[in-house]
Amino acid sequence: MASRVEGAIALVDAGQPPGLALDLSGGDGQAGAMLIRRGWRVIATELRPSAAGWVAADLRNYVPFRDSAFDLVVMLEVIEHLENIPHAMREVARVLKPKASAIITTPNRLNASSRVHYLFSGFYKGRRAPLPYRFGVNDGRNWNVMGLNDLDWIAHSSGLHLEAIGRGRRKLRSVLYASVLWLPVKVFSYLLYGRGSRDPAQRVINRALYGHMTSPSVLMDENLLMRFRKIGE
């Protein structure tokens, strides 16, 4: 857990001066503590906060902060629990200042091990087995695990640009599978994303997405560590 949080915080732009950060569903507070040590002022939230100074925020609804209030938003291992990911992304974009950044992490369903597991079982990273049917979509299970391609599309429509992917923890089996699958994935992805598009803007997006989707981090890491930049003036 600590290494995953460290990898996420390492994605914070080193050239960005510390300002006001929002840690959404901050859990045990590790991310906030790391940011504070870097000089950031941090507001942390939870659905039912138990720590002094934390703010109650239900990510299924509107978070209780004004527009363009934060220089940084951190949301680690949260979105896969939410029923409405597009709404959460729009809220992240809403409270960010123009050109400010968000660090978002989630289980990486597209790593090589997860792809092989899905081939034989129908389940992927974050959902390796059937969900317990005694739970529903609002009970905090990892039920809404999305791949990088879908998250990038949702973020783009919310006004967020995928700027960088961090280095996460890797298991040996994913490294071994990736060494076998890398070339076929690279070739197939090139054919998929490299096909001509009449829209010049889409061609630019396709090239960037191709680079991300065939990167070592996507093919081997256990979790996606992503930095988004709010599109703005």
Side-chain angles (χ1 to χ4, degrees), residues 40-104:
W40 288 83
R41 293 173 290 123
V42 178
I43 295 175
T45 79
E46 265 295 346
L47 180 61
R48 299 179 184 86
S50 56
W54 283 42
V55 176
D58 186 346
L59 300 185
R60 295 169 296 186
N61 300 314
Y62 296 99
V63 295
F65 304 103
R66 62 180 174 81
D67 296 357
S68 304
F70 294 94
D71 302 287
L72 174 70
V73 172
V74 176
M75 186 164 61
L76 309 185
E77 305 303 303
V78 174
I79 57 174
E80 65 274 9
H81 302 281
L82 301 178
E83 180 178 2
N84 193 339
I85 290 176
H87 169 76
M89 287 283 200
R90 287 192 295 269
E91 281 298 279
V92 169
R94 180 181 67 80
V95 301
L96 276 174
K97 295 178 180 178
K99 297 186 179 180
S101 58
I103 309 297
I104 298 175

Side-chain angles (χ1 to χ4, degrees), residues 49-169:
S50 56
W54 283 42
V55 176
D58 186 346
L59 300 185
R60 295 169 296 186
N61 300 314
Y62 296 99
V63 295
F65 304 103
R66 62 180 174 81
D67 296 357
S68 304
F70 294 94
D71 302 287
L72 174 70
V73 172
V74 176
M75 186 164 61
L76 309 185
E77 305 303 303
V78 174
I79 57 174
E80 65 274 9
H81 302 281
L82 301 178
E83 180 178 2
N84 193 339
I85 290 176
H87 169 76
M89 287 283 200
R90 287 192 295 269
E91 281 298 279
V92 169
R94 180 181 67 80
V95 301
L96 276 174
K97 295 178 180 178
K99 297 186 179 180
S101 58
I103 309 297
I104 298 175
T105 74
T106 191
N108 180 17
R109 63 176 280 181
L110 293 180
N111 73 29
S113 175
S114 177
R115 297 184 194 205
V116 172
H117 192 279
Y118 183 84
L119 176 65
F120 292 104
S121 71
F123 296 99
Y124 41 77
K125 168 69 180 176
R127 290 187 51 197
R128 295 248 181 219
L131 289 167
Y133 275 56
R134 66 181 181 277
F135 296 110
V137 297
N138 289 322
D139 289 323
R141 316 303 291 185
N142 278 29
W143 77 276
N144 204 2
V145 182
M146 287 191 171
L148 174 68
N149 48 343
D150 292 326
L151 291 171
D152 185 33
W153 182 76
I154 292 171
H156 182 82
S157 67
S158 303
L160 298 170
H161 168 67
L162 179 60
E163 190 173 57
I165 298 177
R167 167 70 185 269
R169 185 170 62 96

